[in-house]
Amino acid sequence: MSVDNNDIYNKAQELVKAFGEKLGRVPTAAVITFGCQMNARDSEKLIGILRKAGFCIIEEESADFVLYNTCTVRDNANQKVYGHLGIAGGFKKKNPNMRIGLCGCMMQEPTVIEKIKSSYKFVNLIFGTHNIHRFPEYLVSCLEQDDMIIDIWKEGNEIEENLPVERKYSFKSGVNIMFGCNNFCSYCIVPYVRGRERSRDAREIIRECERLADEGVVEVMLLGQNVNSYGKGLENGISFPELLKEIEKIEGIKRIRFMTSHPKDLSEELIQVMKESKKICKHLHLPLQSGSSKLLKRMNRCYDKEQYVALAKHIREEIPDIALTTDIIVGFPGETPEDVDDTIDVINSVEYDNAFTFIYSKRTGTPAAAYEDQVPEAESHKQFNRVLEAVQQMARKRAGIYEGQTMEALIEEMNENDPTLVSGRLSNNMIVHLPGDASLIGSIVNVKLNECKGFYYLGERVE
Ligand code: SAH
Ligand code: SF4
Ligand code: F3S
């Protein structure tokens, strides 16, 4: 069944209209998003569907229809969702017409479904990561009655094109280039909840980027769990660097970013394409996870400390003004203080511009969850603080090096605290605040970086 099926939208629109007549106003809907850029992009599609059905989109959880797009990469992501569900349940008591839905990665876990069925009976709708294109049908069923609808698919083979989308920003957009993951890092739940790796047809991706450019988008962020393996499994597929070269040709697109790049398949071709490119941003997120070769092996990352450091140094030599950022896990089973020393050693030799640091979270069903040498929480916290300190010290040192220079910034929003300032993003992903007004949002301007404030700059516009 095609999602573009107009019948289902007509039906949804009728029901939303009837809902509105009962309420005496246009019904509101909100999508609350947890997790990564993939989820953020999925939420834009979910919002697109809700808008097409006739809802007025708001951001408050008190909406008449609230949908939580969940993440399960670490346990605290799950706990947050349960906390929010408690709040939504309270709203539903006051507004019995309210409908509450859940979707996303956490819903692919059977234990989660059991818990919701027994403890959160007021939930109306549960679906997973493989069937978001069926949301219009679920929405119709939800509006017709108040029971709990559950539909979880184990795998998704098709890639659904042409869902309605409502972009959060008018001038930048995520673009999915692949879905799922085949890497099975031993700590990670993503391959289980997002399924096997599937690449989108390059022509579809390019067409989407062209359409976005026509709509005024100047920056695209290409999304995949491992963009470096893009194209594998496609008939006549092109490689990721080739895809980048094609997108570079699209006139209106001024900046290209991508996430995430697995070090094990980062090719020389990619480095050269980045080096030559005028549009690919000077930023590479290259998750390390650990600096210890022993742990990297147990994590199934397929590189060791020396290979990673050599790769990072080579990238810095080829593209000197690139910012390198990373992800680090502390407290993986079997980690000793010496392993953490190795991680800190890599931080200091690669000189990361920034890093996300996470405490290992045991994910049921992953190989590492069964390892016997789990690290006690107190020890993980102690080691985490050491790593964080090293990361912050390095980030401060790196941030300072561009002070006084002039760089291009894409102005993204008004400054949250000071209405006379706007906030922009440099090619290297750093933020700069400068005097300006809303008319600048979405444009790329030259900014002199007057003062480094640790993790961001204060600057001014120059011609
Ligand atoms: N595909 C991306 C990562 C997606 S998950 C990649 O391989 O780079 C984002 C980050 O969450 C990972 O890089 C890892 O650092 C962290 N992460 C994943 N599983 C985790 C776990 N069980 N505990 C703690 N952090 C985890
Ligand atoms: Fe998880 Fe590894 Fe896949 Fe990234 S590459 S999503 S860390 S399994
Ligand atoms: Fe979370 Fe799913 Fe992304 S588990 S990190 S939202 S792919």
Side-chain angles (χ1 to χ4, degrees), residues 181 183-185 187-188 190-191 225 262 289 301:
C181 181
N183 290 302
F184 291 95
C185 301
Y187 50 82
C188 184
V190 170
Q225 294 298 353
H262 195 307
Q289 313 303 359
R301 289 292 289 179

Side-chain angles (χ1 to χ4, degrees), residues 73 180-192 225-226 260 262 264 287 289 299-301 327 329:
V73 76
C181 181
N182 283 355
N183 290 302
F184 291 95
C185 301
S186 64
Y187 50 82
C188 184
I189 193 92
V190 170
Y192 305 88
Q225 294 298 353
N226 176 11
T260 301
H262 195 307
K264 80 177 161 74
Q289 313 303 359
M299 287 176 163
N300 192 29
R301 289 292 289 179
D327 290 346
I329 298 176

Side-chain angles (χ1 to χ4, degrees), residues 85-86 88-90 92 98 100 116 119-124 146 148:
L85 266 187
K92 192 168 176 179
M98 184 179 175
I100 299 173
I116 294 165
S119 309
Y120 300 91
K121 294 197 165 70
F122 53 81
V123 168
N124 296 94
D146 193 17
M148 193 186 282

Side-chain angles (χ1 to χ4, degrees), residues 197-212:
E197 189 179 286
R198 280 116 40 223
S199 290
R200 255 179 99 190
D201 189 296
R203 279 163 307 197
E204 292 285 357
I205 298 169
I206 293 159
R207 218 171 291 146
E208 180 174 346
C209 292
E210 285 169 347
R211 208 167 41 229
L212 288 167

Side-chain angles (χ1 to χ4, degrees), residues 367-426:
Y371 294 172
E372 278 173 8
D373 42 4
Q374 302 285 326
V375 177
E377 214 180 300
E379 177 62 16
S380 296
H381 278 278
K382 196 168 126 196
Q383 300 301 333
F384 177 86
N385 289 336
R386 285 178 63 209
V387 174
L388 191 66
E389 176 64 33
V391 164
Q392 289 182 342
Q393 214 174 328
M394 187 53 70
R396 240 174 268 129
K397 173 178 155 190
R398 292 283 308 168
I401 61 180
Y402 299 111
E403 202 172 73
Q405 292 193 21
T406 296
M407 284 187 183
E408 283 185 346
L410 170 60
I411 307 301
E412 297 194 333
E413 56 200 3
M414 294 303 298
N415 183 289
E416 278 176 13
N417 306 315
D418 184 340
T420 67
L421 299 179
V422 290
S423 304
R425 195 177 293 273
L426 305 174

Side-chain angles (χ1 to χ4, degrees), residues 34-36 38-39 70-73 105 189-190 193-194 225:
F34 302 87
C36 65
M38 318 265 170
N39 260 19
T70 64
C71 169
T72 187
V73 76
C105 296
I189 193 92
V190 170
V193 296
R194 286 271 173 180
Q225 294 298 353

Side-chain angles (χ1 to χ4, degrees), residues 210 213 217-218 246-254 279:
E210 285 169 347
V217 165
V218 293
E246 290 304 313
I247 297 174
E248 175 117 15
K249 290 181 197 155
I250 304 173
E251 208 177 306
I253 301 295
K254 307 274 185 249
K279 296 186 178 176

Side-chain angles (χ1 to χ4, degrees), residues 33-36 39 68-82 103-113 116 128-129 187-195 225 359-366:
T33 310
F34 302 87
C36 65
N39 260 19
Y68 294 95
N69 189 8
T70 64
C71 169
T72 187
V73 76
R74 287 170 290 275
D75 188 54
N76 54 8
N78 295 46
Q79 296 314 321
K80 267 192 226 158
V81 171
Y82 292 123
C103 64
C105 296
M106 201 174 143
M107 300 305 124
Q108 294 294 136
E109 294 184 279
T111 51
V112 170
I113 305 299
I116 294 165
T129 55
Y187 50 82
C188 184
I189 193 92
V190 170
Y192 305 88
V193 296
R194 286 271 173 180
Q225 294 298 353
I359 289 188
Y360 168 72
S361 174
K362 188 167 156 179
R363 307 319 284 139
T364 309
T366 62

